[in-house]
Amino acid sequence: MYDVIIIGAGIIGTNIARELSRYNTKVLIIEKDIDVSMGATKANSAIVHGGYAESHSTLRGRLCYKGRKQFKRLNEELNFGFEETGSLVVSTEDDKEPLEKLMENGIKNGLDDLSIIGSEEIREIEPELTHDAKWALYCKGAGVCSPYEMAIAMAENAIKNGVKLELENEVIDIEKIEDRFKVTTDKGEYYGKYVVNAAGLYSDKISKMVGVDNFEILPRSGEYILFTRGTGDPINTVIFQLPTKLGKGVLVTSTYYGNLLIGPDANDESDREDTSTHVERIAKIYQQAESLYDKINPKQFIRSFTGIRARSSTNDFIIEETKVKGFINVAGIQSPGLTSSPAIAEMVIGILQDAGLKLEENPNFDPYRKPIITRKPLKPFNEIKDKIELPLGSEGRIVCRCEQVLEEEIVDALHRGIKVKTIDGVKRRTRATMGWCQGDFCKPRVIEVMEREYGEKIDPSYDIEHSGVNRVQKSELLDYLNSLEEE
C-alpha cells in the first residue's frame, strides 16, 4: 500500500515525487512510456518564463513567478542545467501601451525585475537584432534550462530518497475502494491512499476513470527549428515578439547548450500523438524569426520537432482535489508549466495535507544529485581524433564525436536508478546523438556500451520507430525556402 500514487513522470509528476520524498511517505510514480520526460517535457521551448504574460486572475499567472524563483536553488541541488539570461518582448511599433500592460500584469504577479527599454538599450543587450526593434519589455530573471534533464534529475533524486518508479505501466482503470484506490495498469495492480493525476495529455482520460469529467484536454501542437551547437551564441536573452493582430509570433533563443532555437507556432487541430513537422509551418516560423534576427543560416539546421501542449478546456491549470476524496487532478499544465512546476509541486503537497496526508520530515532526505554532464566548449576535431579511435572500455574514450560525449558519462547515466532502454534515453541524459550527424556515427557505439553494461541485447526498434516520425529535413526546408524566393 502506497501513501501516494502519482500517474505521469513528466516535469510535473517528477517534481511532485521529489517534493514528497522530503517526507516519510511511501510514493509510487506510474508512467506508461519507456522512460521519464517523454511527453511535452522533452519537446518545448525550454524557457524559464518571467511570469508577466499570464493574467493574475489565473493559476498560470500566480504560479509562474513562484516557480521561477526556485530554479537557481534547484539547479544548485540537482545540476540539470539552468541559466538566468533575461528575456525581451520586442515591439517594432511606436506605441508602448501593450508592453506597459504586460509590465502592469507582471507587477501584479509579484515581479520586481521588469523594465521597458528603448532601441539603444535593446541593441546594447542584443546587438545582433534587426534595427526594427523600437521598444522592449526586459525581464532580468527569465532564463533557459534543459527540461528533460530537469525531470530526469528530479526522478533520480526522488528514487534516491525512496520513491518507486514503474515504467511501461499504462493505467487502464482506477477504482475507489473505501479509503483507498486500486490503480490497475496493463502490468498489474497498485493500491494507494491518494492518487495524483499528472498524466499530461491524457489527464482527462485518467480523471474520467473515477467519474470526474469536468474538463477536456485540447491538444495544441507547436513546431520548432533547432540549429547546430554554437549558432545560439550571438543571442544573449530569450527574445519574444509582441503579439499582434496577425498572431503571437515566435521566440528566438539560445538553448542552454548554445543551439539556436526558433518557434513555436500553434495549431489547435492536433492529435495527442502526432509529433510530425510540416515544411510550410517550419518555413513560416523561419520567416517570422528572421524579421527579428536576420543572421539565421538555414544550412545550419539540424532538426525540426513538435511539442504537444496539454491545453485544457478551462484554458488554465487545474490543480485540485476532486469530488472523489483523495483523487487530485493536476491537469491542463500548458505554458508556463515548466517554469511553474516547482510551485505546482508545493501546491499539491498542501492539497494532500489538507486531504489528510500526514507528512513527517525524512531526516535522511538528500537534496543533491551530481551532474552526468556539464556544459563545456567543444574542442577541434584534430584534438579529439585519437580519443574517438580508442577501443571500447578505454579511459577518456569519446563515443559521440559531435557532442564529444565520453564513454564514462554514458556509463554513469546507465546506473542511476532508472534503467535506460533506448538510445533516446541516453541522448537526453548525455547529449550523445544530438550533434550535426544526429547519431549516424555514434548510435551503434552507444548501443555497444549499453549492451556491455547491462549484459543484454539492446533492441533498437523503439528508436527506429520514433526516429521515423515525419520530420522536415534540412534539404526539404532549403528547397522550400528557395521556391518562396523564386516566387
Side-chain angles (χ1 to χ4, degrees), residues 415-435:
H415 299 289
R416 287 182 166 235
I418 304 172
K419 188 169 184 179
V420 184
K421 295 184 177 182
T422 66
I423 302 166
D424 177 72
V426 172
K427 175 179 75 174
R428 285 178 290 108
R429 289 163 171 84
T430 68
R431 293 188 62 80
T433 79
M434 278 195 181

Side-chain angles (χ1 to χ4, degrees), residues 54-63 215-217 310-319 330-336 340:
E54 280 71 36
S55 170
H56 184 66
S57 65
T58 65
L59 262 179
R60 294 167 65 196
R62 296 193 298 275
L63 292 181
F215 70 94
E216 288 184 50
I217 295 298
R311 180 175 60 103
S312 78
S313 52
T314 69
N315 202 33
D316 197 5
F317 296 164
I318 300 167
I319 308 172
V330 188
I333 312 298
Q334 59 173 310
S335 180
S340 305

Side-chain angles (χ1 to χ4, degrees), residues 284-341:
K284 187 175 181 180
I285 289 168
Y286 179 90
Q287 290 173 320
Q288 284 183 283
E290 204 176 25
S291 67
L292 277 180
Y293 177 57
D294 59 9
K295 295 177 177 61
I296 304 171
N297 182 353
K299 292 181 180 179
Q300 294 176 310
F301 165 106
I302 57 171
R303 188 176 182 84
S304 63
F305 67 92
T306 292
I308 311 293
R309 305 163 221 178
R311 180 175 60 103
S312 78
S313 52
T314 69
N315 202 33
D316 197 5
F317 296 164
I318 300 167
I319 308 172
E320 61 188 10
E321 184 179 23
T322 67
K323 64 182 181 182
V324 179
K325 186 171 175 57
F327 186 89
I328 296 158
N329 273 329
V330 188
I333 312 298
Q334 59 173 310
S335 180
L338 170 64
T339 311
S340 305
S341 59

Side-chain angles (χ1 to χ4, degrees), residues 194-426:
Y194 300 88
V195 171
V196 176
N197 171 19
L201 286 165
Y202 296 89
S203 53
D204 54 347
K205 295 181 182 297
I206 296 296
S207 185
K208 287 174 183 176
M209 290 180 185
V210 295
V212 177
D213 60 354
N214 57 347
F215 70 94
E216 288 184 50
I217 295 298
L218 308 173
R220 171 177 286 166
S221 70
E223 300 191 11
Y224 295 85
I225 314 175
L226 186 68
F227 297 82
T228 189
R229 190 165 175 171
T231 52
D233 291 347
I235 301 298
N236 299 312
T237 62
V238 181
I239 305 165
F240 299 93
Q241 296 179 354
L242 182 69
T244 68
K245 294 178 181 179
L246 298 177
K248 187 177 180 180
V250 301
L251 65 85
V252 176
T253 189
S254 173
T255 70
Y256 179 73
Y257 291 98
N259 302 77
L260 179 67
L261 177 68
I262 60 176
D265 62 356
N267 188 328
D268 291 340
E269 297 178 5
S270 306
D271 182 87
R272 295 178 204 237
E273 296 287 348
D274 184 8
T275 57
S276 58
T277 57
H278 309 83
V279 69
E280 298 86 357
R281 289 174 63 179
I282 290 294
K284 187 175 181 180
I285 289 168
Y286 179 90
Q287 290 173 320
Q288 284 183 283
E290 204 176 25
S291 67
L292 277 180
Y293 177 57
D294 59 9
K295 295 177 177 61
I296 304 171
N297 182 353
K299 292 181 180 179
Q300 294 176 310
F301 165 106
I302 57 171
R303 188 176 182 84
S304 63
F305 67 92
T306 292
I308 311 293
R309 305 163 221 178
R311 180 175 60 103
S312 78
S313 52
T314 69
N315 202 33
D316 197 5
F317 296 164
I318 300 167
I319 308 172
E320 61 188 10
E321 184 179 23
T322 67
K323 64 182 181 182
V324 179
K325 186 171 175 57
F327 186 89
I328 296 158
N329 273 329
V330 188
I333 312 298
Q334 59 173 310
S335 180
L338 170 64
T339 311
S340 305
S341 59
I344 291 172
E346 289 179 342
M347 185 175 177
V348 171
I349 299 302
I351 292 171
L352 285 166
Q353 282 185 293
D354 292 343
L357 178 64
K358 291 181 171 52
L359 294 177
E360 177 186 330
E361 288 198 13
N362 174 9
N364 298 315
F365 174 73
D366 182 355
Y368 297 103
R369 174 255 190 193
K370 292 181 180 179
I372 296 173
I373 56 170
T374 55
R375 187 170 55 177
K376 55 185 183 286
L378 298 180
K379 296 179 180 179
F381 180 76
N382 65 322
E383 292 184 20
I384 64 169
K385 184 175 181 293
D386 291 345
K387 292 183 178 180
I388 294 169
E389 295 172 352
L390 289 171
L392 179 69
S394 300
E395 184 178 353
R397 177 176 180 251
I398 291 177
V399 174
C400 170
R401 64 186 179 188
C402 296
E403 291 291 329
Q404 300 179 11
V405 180
L406 299 174
E407 182 178 319
E408 53 250 46
E409 291 171 328
I410 294 173
V411 171
D412 182 14
L414 298 177
H415 299 289
R416 287 182 166 235
I418 304 172
K419 188 169 184 179
V420 184
K421 295 184 177 182
T422 66
I423 302 166
D424 177 72
V426 172

Side-chain angles (χ1 to χ4, degrees), residues 163-177:
V163 171
K164 182 79 180 293
L165 171 67
E166 292 286 357
L167 297 170
E168 298 181 273
N169 268 256
E170 183 172 359
V171 175
I172 56 177
D173 188 51
I174 304 173
E175 183 181 359
K176 180 75 182 285
I177 304 172

